[in-house]
Amino acid sequence: MEMMTIIVLWILLSIIALIVILLHFSVSAFIKFDENGFVIKVKYMFFTLYPRKPKKPKKIKEKSRRRKEKIANDDEFSDSLDYDFEEFKQELSYENVVDNADNEDVNTDSVDEHEEQEEIAEEKQTESPPAKHHKKKDKKKKEKPPREKKESKLASFKEKYYKYKPYFPMGWKYFKKLLKAIRITGVKINLDVGREDAHEAAIYYGAVEGIVFNTLGQLSNMFTVKIKRADVNCVFTKNIIDGSAECYVRVRPSTIIAIAVCVGVNFLVIYLKQRRANKKKQINENINTGGKTNER
């Protein structure tokens, strides 16, 4: 029995180690933008997650062909039955027409009675209009003023804000860590910018170059960025803005899971602290209220 338990433990440890190793391999996405369009390819190890290969059309089996042949043969036999069924339909439709003609006479009498009842109801409504005005006034009195509604909404919003306020700094901290875990590597940018006038071309080139390198700087502050090449070329003979850009975006599933676990633990700690503080407040309030009543 001891040997069996040891073997089972070794098997479980080997499975856990294999899962950890597999999670340590990063999911990579290749992104490219050029004249041909926008391309995205997502891979994990040797497997392509996106785009998936189109499925092959399923071949028609022999059984389905035989069924179709049987259905075609049965249709020839059913032609005579359809003819008899149509004659039966015509007879039924003639009987329904006769019945509807009899029912129309009965419905005319009911319509006249309904019109008389509507006229009597309209006369009663014209005789007693002031009762409605009293109902409207009562409804206006029952409705709450808009200020009280706004104050109640603000109070509920403040309660929710103070309840979730301790979670914000911790959440922002781990959100930044998650962004840093995303690695953007192999960045290649090649842009051609130009105008026919040399002065305009120089101004346009400077503006585009500033935008490109400022965005790269902001991305490097947020993510882990490795730039391989970034070129902005000035063309003095054409009105043009064209180029290509490509990069790899990589993320390790193990880092994402670790960050998620840390966030969950810290959220739980904050929740338990708030719960203890609320219990202490309630106990102190109960003690104070009990002391006041005894003094009286």
Side-chain angles (χ1 to χ4, degrees):
M1 289 295 290
E2 290 180 357
M3 285 293 292
M4 286 293 291
T5 53
I6 290 162
I7 290 162
V8 170
L9 285 169
W10 276 109
I11 290 163
L12 288 169
L13 287 169
S14 60
I15 290 163
I16 291 161
L18 194 142
I19 290 163
V20 170
I21 290 162
L22 289 172
L23 289 172
H24 195 68
F25 287 100
S26 57
V27 179
S28 63
F30 175 71
I31 299 165
K32 188 177 181 181
F33 181 74
D34 57 0
E35 294 177 354
N36 297 322
F38 192 70
V39 179
I40 298 174
K41 291 180 182 178
V42 183
K43 285 186 177 182
Y44 177 68
M45 292 176 69
F46 305 106
F47 305 103
T48 55
L49 302 174
Y50 181 83
R52 292 183 179 179
K53 291 180 181 179
K55 292 181 180 179
K56 293 180 181 179
K58 293 181 180 179
K59 293 180 180 180
I60 299 167
K61 294 181 181 179
E62 292 181 358
K63 289 182 180 180
S64 61
R65 288 179 182 175
R66 289 175 184 175
R67 285 176 184 174
K68 287 180 181 179
E69 288 176 359
K70 284 180 181 180
I71 290 162
N73 293 324
D74 292 334
D75 289 335
E76 292 178 359
F77 178 72
S78 64
D79 290 335
S80 60
L81 292 171
D82 291 334
Y83 181 75
D84 296 332
F85 186 69
E86 285 177 358
E87 287 182 352
F88 182 67
K89 272 184 178 179
Q90 288 176 0
E91 290 176 359
L92 286 172
S93 62
Y94 179 74
E95 290 176 358
N96 287 325
V97 168
V98 173
D99 292 331
N100 289 324
D102 295 331
N103 288 324
E104 284 177 357
D105 295 330
V106 175
N107 288 326
T108 53
D109 296 331
S110 64
V111 168
D112 293 331
E113 290 177 357
H114 185 66
E115 288 178 353
E116 288 177 359
Q117 289 177 359
E118 285 181 352
E119 288 176 356
I120 292 161
E122 286 176 357
E123 289 177 356
K124 288 180 179 179
Q125 287 176 0
T126 53
E127 287 176 358
S128 61
K132 291 182 179 179
H133 293 292
H134 291 296
K135 287 180 182 179
K136 286 180 181 178
K137 288 179 182 178
D138 294 332
K139 286 180 181 179
K140 287 180 180 179
K141 288 178 182 178
K142 288 178 183 178
E143 288 179 354
K144 292 181 180 179
R147 288 181 182 177
E148 290 181 0
K149 288 180 180 179
K150 287 180 181 178
E151 287 176 357
S152 63
K153 285 180 180 179
L154 285 168
S156 64
F157 179 75
K158 283 179 180 178
E159 285 178 1
K160 287 179 181 178
Y161 174 73
Y162 288 116
K163 185 179 178 181
Y164 296 109
K165 189 180 177 181
Y167 298 100
F168 293 149
M170 188 269 295
W172 178 245
K173 178 185 172 183
Y174 283 100
F175 179 70
K176 287 194 284 185
K177 283 186 177 181
L178 180 64
L179 291 177
K180 279 289 179 185
I182 297 166
R183 294 169 288 128
I184 301 168
T185 58
V187 178
K188 290 182 183 178
I189 297 167
N190 189 8
L191 285 173
D192 294 327
V193 178
R195 286 283 182 272
E196 290 179 357
D197 188 5
H199 181 67
E200 289 180 359
I203 293 165
Y204 194 53
Y205 165 76
V208 172
E209 190 179 17
I211 290 163
V212 169
F213 287 103
N214 282 325
T215 52
L216 288 171
Q218 288 177 0
L219 284 171
S220 62
N221 288 326
M222 292 170 67
F223 305 99
T224 304
V225 181
K226 290 182 181 179
I227 299 164
K228 199 169 185 179
R229 190 173 181 181
D231 295 327
V232 181
N233 303 315
C234 186
V235 181
F236 292 102
T237 57
K238 290 181 183 179
N239 289 328
I240 188 171
I241 179 165
D242 195 6
S244 62
E246 63 180 47
C247 67
Y248 288 92
V249 181
R250 291 186 173 91
V251 184
R252 287 193 182 96
S254 59
T255 54
I256 292 166
I257 290 163
I259 290 164
V261 169
C262 291
V263 169
V265 170
N266 286 313
F267 268 106
L268 200 142
V269 168
I270 292 164
Y271 174 74
L272 291 171
K273 283 181 180 178
Q274 283 185 344
R275 197 174 176 184
R276 284 178 185 173
N278 290 324
K279 281 183 179 179
K280 284 180 180 179
K281 282 182 182 178
Q282 286 178 359
I283 291 162
N284 291 323
E285 285 176 359
N286 291 324
I287 290 163
N288 292 322
T289 53
K292 286 178 183 178
T293 52
N294 290 323
E295 285 174 0
R296 287 177 184 176

